[in-house]
Amino acid sequence: MPSQNAEWLALVQEEALEPGLPIIDTHHHLWDRQTTWIQNRYLMDEILEDLETGHNVVSTVFVEADSMYRQSGPVEMQPVGEVEFVNGVAAMAASGVYGKTQVAAGIIGHADLMLGVPAKGVLEALQAAAPERFKGIRYIGAWVEDPAVFTPARVPGPGIYLDAKFREGFAQLGPLGLIFEAAIRHPQILEFTDLARAFPDTKMVLNHIGGVVGVGTYAGRRSEIYEIWRKDIAEVAKCPNVVVKLGALNMTYCGFGWEKRPLPPTSQELCDATRRYYETVIELVGPDRCMFESNYPVDKVSCSYGVLWNSFKRMTQGYSANDRAALFHDTAARFYGI
């Protein structure tokens, strides 16, 4: 099933730059549902179509997407169904029948940490569902009181990472050796940083370089917001337990407006428009704690998979071989153990 904008994306095609460079795509989804996203079905066939664009993607990390939950049993255990589903897709990839890429070699699921201490039982069930691949959970806390900014329906409200009950549930992750991934909007970066400082022994990921907003009340303020965001990222950088994912600036709430153009962006255009954000994070946090992501198929609203990875390669051409290896592969391989 092609994406809803497949014909538009096909208007700009590029050969893969440096096709031998090993890549771990640290963030993508799998689903089959009616949504408002650009692609309603994104399963093995669909991700393979994107992977077969010339880049050397050796493995990927799946991140929860509220998909394939169990329809029966305790509500808190229903997210286990998603991990079971993805582990099956990963087993398909591991067979070698579908090519060289180890799709979903790492799996990030979901558990309701607002359960408090009983969240431990859910986490253990998630581990049991994919003992070799399950790495941790994501709990979305993205909340901006602006209707122009997308807020997922399942986000319970503002300030969730500061909630005492949430932190009771969060405390169950570290002893189990599990990772926590956060999806927020940039005004919440300091809340995330507070959480990271409160649990210094828990491995954490800041998704999407902190979710820089550029629409609604944030439109037309890019320079002002950049300075605020940069200052907050500098605080994140002081937390050695945090790794940052580099990507997802192509979502519509970021405000670049690629999806409104008659032609999709080239990799050079993407690079020129977003370079300073990525370079800032790499400078402040360091390549050994940064890793590129596609955020597919969500970012497909703005650009094709091949063009996206070309943009990342362009913006890092001046980096050392060791730093590039870390950004594209080695940080993720170490952090997720894949």
Side-chain angles (χ1 to χ4, degrees):
M1 180 177 293
S3 64
Q4 297 170 23
N5 63 347
E7 292 184 2
W8 179 72
L9 291 175
L11 296 174
V12 171
Q13 299 186 31
E14 299 180 358
E15 293 290 326
L17 301 174
E18 302 173 79
L21 181 67
I23 294 170
I24 295 178
D25 183 346
T26 63
H27 195 111
H28 71 84
H29 307 293
L30 296 167
W31 58 46
D32 189 3
R33 62 189 185 191
Q34 292 297 312
T35 72
T36 57
W37 294 116
I38 204 69
Q39 191 157 2
N40 289 334
R41 172 175 287 187
Y42 203 69
L43 299 176
M44 181 63 90
D45 288 346
E46 289 74 27
I47 193 171
L48 287 179
E49 184 176 354
D50 289 325
L51 291 170
E52 293 169 356
T53 52
H55 295 286
N56 184 24
V57 182
V58 296
S59 56
T60 75
V61 177
F62 165 86
V63 177
E64 61 93 21
D66 192 19
S67 179
M68 303 295 183
Y69 279 20
R70 294 173 178 174
Q71 290 193 5
S72 61
V75 172
E76 66 272 17
M77 290 293 181
Q78 289 178 0
V80 177
E82 181 174 51
V83 171
E84 293 171 326
F85 148 64
V86 177
N87 199 40
V89 174
M92 292 170 65
S95 73
V97 173
Y98 299 91
K100 64 176 173 40
T101 305
Q102 298 297 296
V103 176
I107 298 174
I108 298 296
H110 175 73
D112 184 4
L113 298 186
M114 289 298 288
L115 294 168
V117 174
K120 180 180 180 181
V122 180
L123 296 172
E124 290 173 333
L126 291 165
Q127 284 183 309
E132 296 181 358
R133 300 185 179 97
F134 180 71
K135 306 299 180 181
I137 68 151
R138 180 173 74 161
Y139 194 107
I140 298 175
W143 182 276
V144 175
E145 293 186 6
D146 184 333
V149 183
F150 172 70
T151 297
R154 58 196 172 112
V155 178
I160 192 66
Y161 294 163
L162 303 177
D163 185 272
K165 181 60 72 172
F166 173 88
R167 292 193 173 197
E168 284 183 16
F170 188 98
Q172 310 311 308
L173 291 163
L176 293 173
L178 295 176
I179 294 165
F180 176 78
E181 303 218 4
I184 57 175
R185 304 292 181 251
H186 75 263
Q188 301 168 296
I189 291 176
L190 293 183
E191 293 179 14
F192 170 83
T193 305
D194 186 88
L195 182 64
R197 287 172 174 159
F199 295 90
D201 296 326
T202 300
K203 294 167 66 176
M204 298 174 61
V205 182
L206 180 60
N207 287 182
H208 313 335
I209 64 172
V212 182
V213 183
V215 298
T217 55
Y218 299 91
R221 300 166 53 198
R222 196 165 296 280
S223 295
E224 171 198 350
I225 290 170
Y226 169 80
E227 295 301 329
I228 296 169
W229 168 85
R230 189 186 194 283
K231 181 179 178 181
D232 292 348
I233 288 293
E235 292 302 310
V236 171
K238 298 175 184 178
C239 302
N241 57 322
V242 174
V243 167
V244 180
K245 285 185 182 175
L246 307 174
L249 275 177
N250 303 306
M251 290 189 282
T252 56
Y253 77 75
C254 298
F256 288 97
W258 305 116
E259 75 284 357
K260 300 175 184 177
R261 297 184 1 157
L263 291 176
T266 65
S267 59
Q268 188 63 60
E269 288 177 310
L270 286 177
C271 178
D272 292 343
T274 61
R275 176 193 293 275
R276 66 172 175 172
Y277 296 98
Y278 296 116
E279 290 183 338
T280 294
V281 178
I282 295 168
E283 173 194 351
L284 294 174
V285 180
D288 60 334
R289 288 169 49 208
C290 290
M291 48 193 181
F292 282 116
E293 58 165 325
S294 72
N295 192 39
Y296 249 54
V298 181
D299 272 36
K300 189 179 279 193
V301 69
S302 295
C303 62
S304 67
Y305 196 83
V307 166
L308 177 64
W309 286 104
N310 273 352
S311 74
F312 294 152
K313 290 177 178 180
R314 287 186 187 280
M315 71 180 61
T316 58
Q317 283 177 340
Y319 288 63
S320 71
N322 286 341
D323 285 351
R324 295 187 90 211
L327 294 166
F328 284 95
H329 179 277
D330 294 355
T331 297
R334 182 188 68 252
F335 186 78
Y336 288 112
I338 57 177

